[in-house]
Amino acid sequence: SYTYWALAAALPAFAFLLILTVAGHTFIVLNGIKHVSQKMKQLHRILTRALVVQALVPVVTVMMPFAVLSASNV
């Protein structure tokens, strides 16, 4: 049905926005913390970036091609 294909096409965009929103919020909160050392903040930024990349890989490699194929079959 059309609803299934619309959902399949919208899911990657939703996942992408959710990942970037959570990462952005993490960076904003991290900048506001005063009782953490600069080295710990730097480590947290590096690990958050790595987590964002790990979360985006399935979105880009699995969900996006599926969404494109789903949209082209409608």
Side-chain angles (χ1 to χ4, degrees):
S1 78
Y2 181 74
T3 305
Y4 172 76
W5 299 115
L7 179 63
L11 188 60
F14 176 73
F16 185 77
L17 288 175
L18 180 66
I19 292 165
L20 292 183
T21 301
V22 170
H25 182 326
T26 301
F27 286 126
I28 289 170
V29 169
L30 187 60
N31 284 336
I33 296 176
K34 302 292 183 213
H35 60 277
V36 177
S37 70
Q38 227 18 59
K39 188 171 184 175
M40 184 59 75
K41 284 184 181 182
Q42 181 181 9
L43 179 63
H44 198 297
R45 281 188 191 98
I46 291 169
L47 292 174
T48 302
R49 286 186 189 123
L51 185 61
V52 167
V53 169
Q54 289 176 4
L56 286 177
V57 165
V59 172
V60 172
T61 60
V62 176
M63 295 175 127
M64 290 295 250
F66 179 70
V68 170
L69 287 174
S70 298
S72 66
N73 287 335
V74 172

